[in-house]
Amino acid sequence: MRKFDVLIIGSGLAGLTLALHLASTRSICLITKRELNDSSSHWAQGGIAAVLADDDTIEAHIQDTLIAGAGLCDPEVTRFVVEHSRETVQWLIDQGVPFTREDDNSGFHLTREGGHSRRRIIHAADATGHAVQETLAEKVRRHPNITVLEHHIAVDLITAKKNDRRNNRCLGAYVLDQQQGKVVTIGAQNTVLATGGAGKVYLYTTNPDVATGDGVAMGWRAGCRVANMEFIQFHPTCLYHPQAKSFLITEAVRGEGGILKLPDGTRFMPEHDERAELAPRDVVARAIDYEMKKRGIDCVYLDISHRPADFILSHFPTIYRRCFELSIDITKQPIPVVPAAHYSCGGLMTDMNSRTDLPHLYAIGEAACTGLHGANRLASNSLLECMVFARATAIDILTQRGMEIPELPDWDESRVTDADEEIVITHNWSELRRFMWNYVGIVRTNKRLTRAMHRINLLRDEVHEFYSNFRVNGDLIELRNLLQVAELIVRSAMERQESRGLHYSKDYPEMLPEAIPTVLEPSNYYSLLDHMHGRRKRKTSA
């Protein structure tokens, strides 16, 4: 058993920011499934929304966020995040992040994205996530109080008294060392889930392979509520090419004048929304989905070639290089694009200090539902949210008195064996992602959701049996988590009998007059599972 003051699960922007805010006075263990820079944050292209320009205001940014969120944003949380945007960006500048400057070097270049009424997106060309991650990861690696464990994946949280909410608390986690094939026990005074989103639950996604909803699934199993899981943001423009895996075309291309066109060159967005290409992502994604299904086409096209070539090369060098590798010259040709699963607006319910329902367990970043995004995230608010709540978490942890970490039981493998064959994992993973794409995608119906839930129930029994009888590995852990998150998404979608934000139902096309969040409670659910499956072979409570 290893003991730390704080265990951070996940190495995206939220996790790195928190580690650096705490490391001067706390011992930190930061675990990551692959390398330190393998996260969704690393691939973020657009930038960070912040009130920096003289003609911008906090009220304008708040209003844009509330409009995009379709009535479900928490006004107090929204104001809290926006009011801390300038100091958050300044902290990154102080860390040395190389944000793009104006041509005359008079200040930082700000771009505009869909849903924003002003230019307020500070960026590092079209690879902001990469620039921020590289800068912070280097500082994390060098800090003597931060222990980084790469190729380690959390299996489950360890709790004090799982069936006693009043006296329960998080004590750490069981973590699989994927290189050694052994599960280690890590105890911590505070544990933070910074695991990112769950894009890999869908067949097509802009997310990296690590986005398997681990934090939400672990928190749910530990007894935490989740909220608004039905609101999955599909990014309108993912590069469509047989050799292009999960390559996003940033919102900023449309912000700088990119036009969406049909294969014959006809522009179509003005027919769907008066804001045209600068409408919020849910509007644009549904418009593209509509045109593709109506016309039986494989993709639409995003054209920025009417802008000067020097402008395109300086603002979108990463996109230019990747498209050029695929024989697409974006200074002369349009980019073939399709929508793809991009961001989870829901997650584990947290308060203003990022606390979950389980004492000493926090959630930050995409794994959390803070109330900022509502029914649809405003572009480039996610990186801002990561850092604002990472700092709030650090402040809350630093105000606590230290507590003793008890000795925790080792992971019990006495009644499991090595799997005789793992084709079950591969097959179930593929089946899950495909039916989620077909049945729980951009446009939903009751019939599709019912079909999805039926298949989830079948897969859950298979995966539960496999998990209970064989030694765990990374693929099994991720499949188990993805299946849990898929169920939460479908259950939430079934409960929302209206169309709002990112959730569009053909059975309930109207929006109800009152905006109510979807909150799922795990207690009744797990009493049912215990009855169905009997007692688990493994214990995750001390």
Side-chain angles (χ1 to χ4, degrees):
M1 176 183 169
R2 304 182 69 175
K3 295 183 180 181
F4 297 88
D5 294 330
V6 182
L7 168 63
I8 301 173
I9 303 174
S11 63
L13 179 56
L16 297 181
T17 301
L18 176 61
L20 291 173
H21 279 307
L22 290 172
S24 60
T25 59
R26 297 290 189 274
S27 62
I28 311 296
C29 177
L30 189 149
I31 70 167
T32 182
K33 291 198 287 188
R34 295 190 182 177
E35 305 292 331
L36 191 59
N37 279 333
D38 283 319
S39 70
S40 293
S41 299
H42 182 81
W43 295 102
Q45 294 178 356
I48 301 167
V51 180
L52 303 171
D54 292 339
D55 66 344
D56 199 4
T57 66
I58 288 173
E59 297 304 325
H61 190 174
I62 290 172
Q63 192 62 25
D64 291 344
T65 302
L66 296 178
I67 291 172
L72 272 180
C73 300
D74 184 314
E76 182 183 2
V77 170
T78 304
R79 180 170 293 280
F80 174 74
V81 172
V82 173
E83 286 182 344
H84 286 84
S85 62
R86 180 184 287 270
E87 66 188 65
T88 297
V89 169
Q90 187 58 52
W91 182 79
L92 286 178
I93 294 170
D94 295 341
Q95 303 306 306
V97 175
F99 290 114
T100 298
R101 290 187 171 272
E102 294 284 6
D103 294 338
D104 60 3
N105 209 32
S106 59
F108 293 104
H109 180 268
L110 303 177
T111 191
R112 184 181 172 191
E113 295 179 347
H116 289 274
S117 58
R118 306 281 196 283
R119 284 183 171 266
R120 64 167 67 100
I121 316 302
I122 189 170
H123 60 100
D126 61 347
T128 307
H130 173 79
V132 173
Q133 281 277 125
E134 291 285 344
T135 302
L136 299 189
E138 183 61 28
K139 292 179 178 292
V140 164
R141 286 189 188 280
R142 295 201 312 261
H143 204 291
N145 283 353
I146 303 176
T147 299
V148 176
L149 300 179
E150 295 179 311
H151 303 287
H152 282 65
I153 179 172
V155 183
D156 255 325
L157 299 169
I158 305 173
T159 58
K161 298 181 179 180
K162 189 167 186 177
N163 296 319
D164 182 0
R165 283 197 171 187
R166 187 171 300 175
N167 299 304
N168 201 10
R169 64 185 175 98
C170 187
L171 300 170
Y174 290 117
V175 177
L176 174 66
D177 180 340
Q178 297 186 84
Q179 294 179 323
Q180 298 295 324
K182 298 292 184 182
V183 176
V184 297
T185 306
I186 300 179
Q189 294 184 26
N190 291 286
T191 301
V192 184
L193 297 171
T195 52
K200 295 300 285 187
V201 78
Y202 285 99
L203 186 62
Y204 302 111
T205 177
T206 63
N207 291 183
D209 290 340
V210 294
T212 53
D214 304 327
V216 172
M218 286 190 291
W220 171 261
R221 289 194 293 265
C224 299
R225 291 171 298 165
V226 300
N228 294 343
M229 290 295 293
E230 69 271 36
F231 297 118
I232 303 296
Q233 188 173 74
F234 290 81
H235 198 288
T237 53
C238 183
L239 178 61
Y240 178 75
H241 192 281
Q243 298 172 26
K245 180 183 178 183
S246 302
F247 188 74
L248 175 72
I249 306 299
T250 174
E251 192 101 6
V253 172
R254 285 181 283 126
E256 295 296 340
I259 297 172
L260 285 165
K261 298 179 178 179
L262 298 172
D264 64 2
T266 303
R267 188 182 184 189
F268 60 87
M269 274 309 302
E271 297 178 9
H272 293 270
D273 193 282
E274 62 183 10
R275 294 164 291 187
E277 281 78 12
L278 290 178
R281 289 176 177 176
D282 61 320
V283 175
V284 180
R286 276 199 301 274
I288 295 174
D289 182 71
Y290 172 84
E291 295 292 344
M292 288 172 57
K293 288 176 178 175
K294 176 184 177 182
R295 302 172 191 280
I297 54 180
D298 294 328
C299 66
V300 297
Y301 292 86
L302 179 58
D303 193 356
I304 189 74
S305 63
H306 53 278
R307 298 300 302 270
D310 290 346
F311 176 88
I312 296 172
L313 292 172
S314 63
H315 282 75
F316 306 113
T318 305
I319 295 173
Y320 175 82
R321 285 194 300 270
R322 180 62 180 133
C323 288
F324 198 77
E325 291 170 358
L326 301 170
S327 301
I328 302 169
D329 184 349
I330 68 172
T331 65
K332 301 175 182 177
Q333 301 167 267
I335 308 167
V337 294
V338 291
H342 183 57
Y343 189 88
S344 302
C345 290
L348 296 168
M349 291 185 69
T350 59
D351 64 13
M352 297 285 283
N353 297 307
S354 306
R355 296 176 180 177
T356 68
D357 292 328
L358 182 62
H360 299 282
L361 177 68
Y362 297 81
I364 52 177
E366 197 171 347
C369 183
T370 65
L372 173 66
H373 305 309
N376 181 25
R377 175 177 69 92
L378 182 65
S380 290
N381 267 354
S382 54
L383 297 185
L384 175 63
E385 180 193 40
C386 283
M387 292 181 293
V388 170
F389 279 100
R391 183 172 179 271
T393 305
I395 292 171
D396 194 65
I397 289 175
L398 291 172
T399 59
Q400 297 176 11
R401 292 166 52 187
M403 65 178 185
E404 185 67 25
I405 304 169
E407 288 300 314
L408 304 175
D410 291 334
W411 181 253
D412 182 9
E413 289 190 331
S414 61
R415 288 170 286 183
V416 295
T417 61
D418 290 323
D420 49 359
E421 57 182 28
E422 297 189 5
I423 188 64
V424 173
I425 298 176
T426 304
H427 173 79
N428 287 354
W429 183 297
S430 176
E431 182 181 348
L432 171 66
R433 296 182 65 206
R434 190 168 294 277
F435 74 64
M436 284 296 290
W437 180 261
N438 289 332
Y439 296 151
V440 200
I442 296 173
V443 177
R444 300 163 179 173
T445 67
N446 290 343
K447 184 178 289 186
R448 292 175 190 172
L449 294 176
T450 302
R451 287 173 175 167
M453 185 59 78
H454 174 68
R455 282 158 175 78
I456 287 171
N457 289 334
L458 295 175
L459 292 184
R460 184 176 59 207
D461 290 341
E462 290 186 17
V463 172
H464 177 81
E465 181 182 2
F466 203 92
Y467 178 78
S468 299
N469 290 285
F470 300 113
R471 289 188 175 89
V472 296
N473 59 37
D475 288 343
L476 175 59
I477 293 167
E478 289 183 329
L479 174 60
R480 179 177 178 239
N481 291 335
L482 276 176
L483 189 58
Q484 181 61 78
V485 170
E487 180 180 336
L488 295 173
I489 293 170
V490 175
R491 285 184 62 198
S492 299
M494 289 175 128
E495 289 202 10
R496 184 163 295 280
Q497 297 185 359
E498 64 166 346
S499 290
R500 183 182 297 273
L502 300 167
H503 174 75
Y504 184 80
S505 170
K506 293 181 74 172
D507 294 300
Y508 309 104
E510 303 300 321
M511 187 166 66
L512 296 176
E514 184 180 4
I516 301 174
T518 304
V519 178
L520 300 183
E521 174 79 42
S523 56
N524 295 334
Y525 169 76
Y526 270 101
S527 63
L528 174 63
L529 269 196
D530 291 342
H531 175 72
M532 289 170 59
H533 296 302
R535 296 190 63 183
R536 292 177 46 75
K537 291 190 176 182
R538 295 190 180 96
K539 294 182 179 180
T540 54
S541 33

